[in-house]
Amino acid sequence: MKVSPNSCWDNTLALIRENVTGQQFETWFKPIVFESFDESKQTIVLQVASTFVYEYLEANYVDLLSKVLRRTFGPGIRLAYRVLTDKEHNISQEIEADPTDAAEARQRRTRANEAPGVLDAAQPQQIDSQLNPHLTFGNYIEGDSNKLPRSVGLSIAEHPRSTQFNPMFIYGPSGCGKTHLINAIGLRTKELYPEKRVLYISARLFQVQFTNSTLRNTLNDFIQFYQTIDMLIVDDVQEWMTAAKTQDTFFHIFNHLFRNGKRIILASDRPPVDLKGMHDRLLTRFSCGLIAELEKPNVQLCVDILNNKIHRDGLKIPADVVRFIAETANGSVRDLQGVINSLLAYSVVYNCDIDMRLAERVIKRAVKIDNKPLTVDDIIETVCSHYNVSASAVNSKSRKRELVTARQVSMYLAQKFTKMPASRIGKLVGNRDHSTVIHSCTQIERRLQVDRLFSDEIQSIENSFKLKQ
């Protein structure tokens, strides 16, 4: 006797329930609506409440869903989602799932630190651009603070062969949209010129790849690969301020690309003139094209950004709540997105409406409200409380492990959250010199890359800052 699609879906849910916690099942799987099963196309369509739910399922449960569906509906089954993008007008969008995405993403993360080799350079069409497909010009909202960089960036993407504005150096404070813009330039270029070799990379990852290639004696292959790129996009170049050898290598790559008319796009949290420790010969090249500042968005642009995201996610948030979030997020696009994601998660998990009360509750946890600037003393106090040590012990000459960690973390966070130079931070944290501060920050950053528990620990300390504001 042939089993009906509805019965197969019931069996699917039963299997899922056995493989997740009760809370996970109630939150993410029980609300899914089984819409249809096309036997000829071997496709099942599941209806979910919003883009947020779809993205969460794809990021966390696509492997489980695919395996269970193959077991209950048969091999070769294809999964698609019906996402409600506009609740008011009942407009939905069908999106096909790709169970290989999760595996490919894991593989990319595993291989990310590996320097490109000869094989990559020998096959110029085979390259992963490392671009985020969600960061497009379509959802990069224009305002007074980003009009010039956005317009120039779009022009570069549409005319990559032009040598005007090369390199393009974009700078601005954290959260103003630099990473989004440079990704959008790369994506638009690939859309119009798919044969172009476009590569996005963070300055830190470039440095790690350079170090690995040096250790493995494959530096020539590393340089050769980067010299084949048509559009090289480097994020957070301020990370190289103390990396002299990385700067030297990039200098030669830059010269080769520039001489051959290839595009170079750079992003930093400060203008070239403030990149202390960067070689003068590199700074002159950074400055020879266009230097474009991205300012923090004003309240109206924040409102427009929020409304765009709300519409895309199929949400319904009152206008006064949107305005409140825009005025409280301190002009950080990243904070805006974090608040909306948190609100949506709360509303889904607790099955409640998004109102002002929920917004006030969430924003305290998601946004650093600048009632008063954070001082080095505040940072030391919080770090000492976290590690259960005294400030006097941290400022002493002791080399005990727990005190060294607390001292280095204090210096790292002081550099991150204050505008003080390293020499001043060193004076305030144990009366050390600037080289000790730089070394401490480097040690912490390296540990953050490989130690997930330590990363969570630092995040916990940073969250404490937000609660004290």
Side-chain angles (χ1 to χ4, degrees), residues 164-275:
Q164 190 178 26
F165 305 135
N166 194 31
M168 183 181 186
F169 189 102
I170 302 168
Y171 76 93
S174 177
C176 68
K178 300 186 296 296
T179 299
H180 190 149
L181 178 57
I182 60 180
N183 262 269
I185 295 171
L187 288 171
R188 182 64 173 158
T189 302
K190 287 296 290 183
E191 179 185 347
L192 296 174
Y193 306 92
E195 76 283 359
K196 292 286 185 185
R197 284 169 64 82
V198 178
L199 179 66
Y200 165 90
I201 191 166
S202 69
R204 179 51 58 94
L205 182 54
F206 180 93
Q207 186 175 351
V208 170
Q209 290 180 351
F210 162 72
T211 302
N212 288 344
S213 67
T214 302
L215 294 173
R216 296 174 182 174
N217 200 28
T218 57
L219 184 58
N220 288 337
D221 295 337
F222 173 82
I223 295 174
Q224 182 185 358
F225 169 81
Y226 276 97
Q227 289 178 340
T228 68
I229 304 300
D230 295 311
M231 177 180 283
L232 179 59
I233 304 169
V234 186
D235 204 355
D236 293 322
V237 294
Q238 74 277 357
E239 299 279 357
W240 291 340
M241 288 194 296
T242 58
K245 292 182 179 180
T246 302
Q247 292 179 41
D248 288 337
T249 300
F250 185 74
F251 173 80
H252 296 297
I253 293 171
F254 183 105
N255 280 347
H256 179 89
L257 296 178
F258 188 81
R259 285 197 304 266
N260 287 276
K262 307 301 184 181
R263 273 287 172 188
I264 304 164
I265 299 170
L266 309 166
S268 171
D269 65 358
R270 65 202 75 181
V273 69
D274 288 338
L275 291 172

Side-chain angles (χ1 to χ4, degrees), residues 345-356:
Y346 268 91
S347 67
V348 169
V349 172
Y350 295 105
N351 191 28
C352 61
D353 294 330
I354 298 176
D355 55 16
M356 186 65 78

Side-chain angles (χ1 to χ4, degrees), residues 141-146 297-306:
I141 310 304
E142 182 178 304
D144 292 338
S145 62
N146 62 24
N298 58 25
V299 173
Q300 185 54 53
L301 180 53
C302 288
V303 169
D304 294 340
I305 292 169
L306 285 169

Side-chain angles (χ1 to χ4, degrees), residues 50-67:
S50 68
T51 306
F52 173 80
V53 176
Y54 151 70
E55 290 177 349
Y56 191 90
L57 289 171
E58 281 287 281
N60 297 278
Y61 296 112
V62 66
D63 286 345
L64 174 62
L65 268 171
S66 299
K67 290 176 182 176

Side-chain angles (χ1 to χ4, degrees), residues 119-132:
L119 181 62
D120 298 305
Q123 298 179 341
Q125 297 305 317
Q126 298 181 13
I127 177 175
D128 182 351
S129 294
Q130 300 294 326
L131 294 163
N132 186 332

Side-chain angles (χ1 to χ4, degrees), residues 85-105:
T85 56
D86 189 336
K87 293 181 181 178
E88 185 177 350
H89 300 95
N90 198 30
I91 298 175
S92 61
Q93 175 186 8
E94 186 171 312
I95 305 173
E96 184 171 345
D98 185 357
T100 63
D101 280 352
E104 289 176 355

